[in-house]
Amino acid sequence: MPDLSRVDVTDAAAALLRDLTAKHGPLMFHQSGGCCDGSSPMCYPVGMFLTGPSDVLLGTVDIGVDDPIEVYMSESQFEYWKFTHLTIDVVPGRGAGFSVEGPTGMRFLIRSRMLTEEEAVAFGVRAAAE
């Protein structure tokens, strides 16, 4: 079975993340629920946002630097998104207030698709067909 992941990153987002890593050091994402900036993927230097027991590690994205970037989501939000695969992308615009891309003129966003049957079974959100 191929390596399956709940989260991925576009080439454009990976390029920006490499630049931000060079400036800020290792990074992490947290995708929380809610409105406004809370519905955007927020990117922080590792240690600047503390995750807790109500956060789910969705996976990591490899952008070609030493440390893969961990991607978290609040457990309550994960209940709504557990059937989806998320891709972190970047588009022109003003980033979220506390997210490190804010001053760059770009902002991160999430693109999603439904999990394939193989992914859903692998992640335990759907039983294999009998």
Side-chain angles (χ1 to χ4, degrees), residues 25-95:
L27 302 171
M28 58 88 68
F29 275 100
H30 189 271
Q31 172 73 40
S32 64
C35 66
C36 308
D37 287 348
S39 59
S40 298
M42 305 288 279
C43 185
Y44 302 98
V46 169
M48 294 296 289
F49 181 93
L50 301 179
T51 57
S54 64
D55 292 304
V56 175
L57 175 62
L58 298 176
T60 61
V61 291
D62 183 0
I63 60 163
V65 298
D66 290 340
D67 299 310
I69 296 176
E70 293 181 334
V71 181
Y72 292 87
M73 178 180 282
S74 65
E75 188 174 48
S76 59
Q77 188 71 4
F78 180 71
E79 281 303 307
Y80 295 107
W81 290 68
K82 66 183 171 187
F83 296 105
T84 60
H85 177 277
L86 306 178
T87 300
I88 299 169
D89 200 359
V90 64
V91 295
R94 186 174 183 280

Side-chain angles (χ1 to χ4, degrees), residues 2-3 9-10 20 26 31 34 38 40 50-51 53 64 81 93 97-100 105 122 124 129:
D3 287 338
V9 62
T10 65
L20 293 169
Q31 172 73 40
S40 298
L50 301 179
T51 57
W81 290 68
F98 297 107
S99 193
V100 294

